Amino acid sequence: MSAPNKSYDPVEVEALKPEEIERMRDEALAAFAAADSLDALQEAKVAHTGGTSPLALANREIGALPPQAKAAAGKLVGQARGAVNKGLAARQVELEAERDARVLVEEAVDVTLPYDRVPAGARHPLTTLSERIEDIFVAMGYEVAEGPQVESEWFNFDALNIGPDHPARGEADTFFVQTAPNSGSAAGSGTTESGVVLRTHTSPVQIRSLLDRELPVYVICPGRVYRTDELDATHTPVFNQVELLAVDEGLTMADLKGTLDHMVQSLFGEGMKTRLRPNFFPFTEPSAEMDMLCYVCKGESVGNPDRPCRTCSSEGWIELGGCGMVNPRVLTACGVDPQKYSGFAFGFGIERMLMFRHNVEDMRDMVEGDIRFTRPFGMEI
Ligand code: PHE
């Protein structure tokens, strides 16, 4: 700031000459007009309106003027600064509008572009079908029960009345688990030192349910099971089962039959039914093989060569799985009094049901994880 200018001589105060102030104003306005972006405008703003800009310095000079000159100089500088601020604001609005228009174009979303180049995943139809079956029984008051896939031999075999000499226990069917190095398996005796297997069915979950729960017990046990089969079109060493167990007072084979019929009607529609053929399982007595009416021909292809049925090979029935009344020895092993309680159970493979229900011809398709297989099934089956 100049020293106080006691004897006023406007000629000496160069910075406050009207043409100088006009030049400062015009330079500022020209700089704003030349700014082609908001960043450039910000620079011009600092240069022409900031604390060290020519007009700000000129404003400070007013303080050094003699009192009689202050008003005129103040008006001169004030008008120039007003014009500069107005010009700045106007250019700001212009440049912001330009930027907004540009952003709208640059960030526009083309809603016609394909959205599914990376296909979304799909739930596996085995899961969906298994849950569908679970739902039928949950609606009837059953609980879903699960258990470990690495299971003790006692749960997988002994408690189910499958003695040490039962063929299913031998190494032909069962994966034995070594729990310590060199523990080896006692070949031929049907047991291992470890006493641990990959469960060969979900029946051990029935045993666990009977031991864990208060009676009556109504459970549905879905899950993965293991058998030493080679993977081919109709076999897989890992597959899924659903087993059911009901233990209550006064349950009979009629309850089992009614439950089975309800299940196939829920899955395949009105008019469906099951039939039982005598069979043997160590854990049920009596035991039966269960078939369901062929849901395609409803049995009408039998003895009718004009209308052959590919689904049931014109047999009229499709084999579903095993069932029976829980063997009293199993109930006893679980601490349930067979004089007071009786129960029924059944079990079947989900893969097989998926095959005939959805015309899947090769089991390998189910395990290879190719999304082209799973996608057509959607979220509901
Ligand atoms: N656990 C038997 C199997 O895996 C199926 C079954 C369950 C049979 C319940 C009868 C009763 O083959």
Side-chain angles (χ1 to χ4, degrees):
M1 197 185 292
S2 310
N5 193 349
K6 296 262 169 52
S7 51
Y8 173 53
D9 178 0
V11 181
E12 279 176 17
V13 189
E14 281 291 319
L16 294 180
K17 278 185 181 165
E19 54 282 16
E20 273 302 301
I21 300 297
E22 274 165 29
R23 183 185 56 76
M24 290 174 196
R25 181 198 64 199
D26 293 345
E27 274 179 11
L29 293 176
F32 297 157
D36 57 1
S37 69
L38 285 165
D39 286 345
L41 186 65
Q42 179 63 21
E43 274 176 37
K45 174 184 173 183
V46 171
H48 294 280
T49 67
T52 56
S53 63
L55 275 171
L57 294 177
N59 195 46
R60 281 202 236 162
E61 293 294 335
I62 296 171
L65 292 177
Q68 65 274 33
K70 275 186 180 162
K75 191 174 171 198
L76 187 65
V77 175
Q79 280 177 345
R81 293 181 96 194
V84 166
N85 285 335
K86 222 170 131 195
L88 173 67
R91 186 66 183 141
Q92 177 90 17
V93 169
E94 264 173 36
L95 287 173
E96 275 174 4
E98 264 175 39
R99 181 210 45 202
D100 291 349
R102 195 175 55 248
V103 165
L104 274 183
V105 173
E106 281 170 4
E107 295 182 4
V109 176
D110 183 351
V111 293
T112 65
L113 286 174
Y115 63 91
D116 57 353
R117 289 264 165 82
V118 181
R123 303 191 73 207
H124 199 281
L126 286 173
T127 313
T128 327
L129 181 55
S130 175
E131 286 181 3
R132 168 119 206 225
I133 295 164
E134 287 158 41
D135 284 350
I136 294 171
F137 292 102
V138 167
M140 292 164 72
Y142 283 74
E143 284 180 80
V144 178
E146 286 177 321
Q149 294 176 31
V150 178
E151 185 56 284
S152 86
E153 284 191 69
W154 189 83
F155 280 109
N156 196 77
F157 296 126
D158 299 88
L160 288 156
N161 195 34
I162 305 176
D165 297 327
H166 194 279
R169 238 173 134 133
E171 290 192 22
D173 275 319
T174 310
F175 284 112
F176 291 96
V177 178
Q178 278 191 7
T179 50
N182 307 322
S183 67
S185 68
S189 72
T191 58
T192 56
E193 282 172 29
S194 74
V196 178
V197 296
L198 295 184
R199 68 180 179 195
T200 57
H201 48 185
T202 45
S203 307
V205 185
Q206 306 186 6
I207 302 298
R208 287 176 177 274
S209 302
L210 278 178
L211 291 174
D212 284 354
R213 288 159 202 258
E214 298 289 321
L215 290 163
V217 165
Y218 287 87
V219 285
I220 174 102
C221 319
R224 215 168 262 175
V225 302
Y226 301 83
R227 290 184 198 171
T228 54
D229 285 323
E230 292 288 334
L231 179 65
D232 64 25
T234 52
H235 295 87
T236 147
V238 189
F239 59 101
N240 291 270
Q241 271 192 338
V242 170
E243 288 208 7
L244 175 140
L245 171 73
V247 175
D248 203 341
E249 287 180 51
L251 291 181
T252 69
M253 208 120 181
D255 297 304
L256 166 63
K257 181 72 167 62
T259 307
L260 288 172
D261 284 348
H262 173 72
M263 177 181 76
V264 294
Q265 280 159 17
S266 301
L267 282 170
F268 294 93
E270 288 288 303
M272 286 296 295
K273 57 184 181 183
T274 54
R275 77 172 178 189
L276 304 183
R277 288 178 287 121
N279 196 7
F280 172 79
F281 296 107
F283 32 88
T284 41
E285 183 57 39
S287 304
E289 203 71 41
M290 53 178 178
D291 299 337
M292 61 172 223
L293 192 64
C294 173
Y295 66 100
V296 176
C297 71
K298 300 265 161 50
E300 280 165 25
S301 65
V302 183
N304 192 350
D306 297 340
R307 290 190 54 195
C309 179
R310 280 174 58 208
T311 305
C312 64
S313 309
S314 301
E315 304 249 329
W317 295 90
I318 299 171
E319 200 180 305
L320 206 55
C323 64
M325 300 305 290
V326 180
N327 192 318
R329 298 175 76 157
V330 173
L331 295 177
T332 307
C334 298
V336 176
D337 179 2
Q339 300 296 328
K340 191 168 174 211
Y341 289 97
S342 59
F344 62 82
F346 63 78
F348 58 89
I350 308 285
E351 277 78 357
R352 240 183 69 75
M353 183 177 276
L354 189 70
M355 284 181 99
F356 60 72
R357 196 168 185 261
H358 296 276
N359 296 321
V360 179
E361 282 175 1
D362 196 326
M363 268 197 188
R364 284 167 290 201
D365 290 337
M366 299 183 198
V367 295
E368 276 166 359
D370 190 329
I371 196 151
R372 286 171 299 179
F373 170 73
T374 49
R375 279 190 98 200
F377 287 95
M379 304 301 282
E380 242 348 287
I381 59 178

